[in-house]
Amino acid sequence: MASHPTYHVHRATEPIVIDGVLDERDWRAAEVVQLRETVTGAEPKQATSLRLLWDASYLYVGFECVDTDVYSPYTERDDPLWESEVVEVFIDDNCNEVTYLEFEINPRNALVDLYVVNRNLERDDIRFMIDWNSRTICHATTVDGDATRRGTKDRSWTVEWAIPWEDFATAPSLPPQNGDAFRANFYRIDRGPTTDEDEYSAWSPTGAINFHRPDRFGTIVFTSKPVR
């Protein structure tokens, strides 16, 4: 298994409009990384790119997902989005590898947000606090295709969201200071026509079809240097 990756998050220079389109100049200047198949670290069949930015109010996350069959039946907050197609963000702001926030968004812009306590990496012992809600999170998606039906001629979907600093109760400083670091991982589940064709991707591969591995989280380091 490769060593844990690091992403240096640069500061945005202009307002980011959360509309599901990564077209601002700052997004175009941000570092782009590719997710890998989470078990093997190989290149996935359907590519997913990730980029990050920050400013005084938010951590910004952008995903672009190649997808020839975009679909999810879920439309409501805290629906079981993980049972269909979804991208996910796990953030451990105090780097203790025990507690972290989990955010999920699907192609239809439904959101899951929860607080997780994971003391021993045993799935049955993990506490998922689904009643925790971010009060001011912003998110949007765009779909090049039709996310409401299976089998349509689809091409991709994009997710853009802004996670407010107030959500990170145990961070060393808010907003971050130059050089502050969080542990984090970023994921995608792509559902095929059969379960054998499902694909699980991660920024930092976990070695198993299990995203709840804080010991495998990478590191995001905040820099006060502008993105451009």
Side-chain angles (χ1 to χ4, degrees):
M1 184 68 64
S3 61
H4 302 176
T6 298
Y7 187 110
H8 289 88
V9 188
H10 288 266
R11 192 171 180 122
T13 65
E14 296 178 339
I16 301 295
V17 178
I18 304 302
D19 57 4
V21 182
L22 309 182
D23 58 351
E24 286 89 353
R25 290 182 294 176
D26 284 353
W27 276 131
R28 294 198 294 269
E31 178 187 4
V32 180
V33 295
Q34 300 295 321
L35 272 56
R36 313 297 295 182
E37 201 279 325
T38 197
V39 177
T40 66
E43 183 178 348
K45 295 177 181 177
Q46 303 222 86
T48 309
S49 64
L50 165 75
R51 61 194 80 188
L52 305 172
L53 293 167
W54 74 281
D55 64 16
S57 300
Y58 297 102
L59 170 64
Y60 298 98
V61 183
F63 283 94
E64 292 178 302
C65 307
V66 174
D67 198 336
T68 57
D69 191 7
V70 184
Y71 174 71
S72 179
Y74 301 113
T75 60
E76 300 298 325
R77 190 171 193 163
D78 291 336
D79 275 350
L81 306 188
W82 56 90
E83 294 182 356
S84 192
E85 304 201 320
V86 71
V87 292
E88 306 183 0
V89 174
F90 290 18
I91 300 180
D92 174 6
D93 58 336
N94 67 358
C95 304
N96 68 359
E97 298 187 12
V98 174
T99 57
Y100 46 94
L101 295 177
E102 177 178 349
F103 301 94
E104 305 182 12
I105 295 179
N106 73 354
R108 302 179 71 176
N109 201 35
L111 171 71
V112 163
D113 48 353
L114 64 155
Y115 187 81
V116 183
V117 179
N118 184 357
R119 292 192 177 277
N120 58 16
L121 304 182
E122 295 294 332
R123 180 80 185 195
D124 291 343
D125 292 337
I126 300 174
R127 296 179 62 191
F128 298 97
M129 301 179 188
I130 195 73
D131 56 340
W132 179 86
N133 282 335
S134 174
R135 294 181 298 177
T136 57
I137 195 168
C138 302
H139 52 97
T141 61
T142 56
V143 177
D144 187 355
D146 183 354
T148 67
R149 294 183 297 156
R150 274 290 189 194
T152 53
K153 293 182 178 180
D154 306 320
R155 287 156 290 280
S156 65
W157 56 290
T158 301
V159 180
E160 181 179 31
W161 75 72
I163 304 172
W165 295 123
E166 68 182 32
D167 288 351
F168 301 105
T170 60
S173 52
L174 294 173
Q177 297 181 4
N178 185 58
D180 282 356
F182 294 173
R183 297 292 301 280
N185 215 344
F186 304 87
Y187 307 106
R188 176 185 173 191
I189 300 174
D190 179 65
R191 298 295 186 186
T194 68
T195 56
D196 291 340
E197 298 172 85
D198 290 348
E199 188 167 58
Y200 299 82
S201 302
W203 174 53
S204 180
T206 62
I209 301 177
N210 177 9
F211 291 163
H212 287 276
R213 290 293 306 269
D215 58 321
R216 292 299 313 162
F217 286 6
T219 302
I220 59 174
V221 180
F222 296 95
T223 173
S224 57
K225 183 179 179 180
V227 70
R228 58 182 179 83

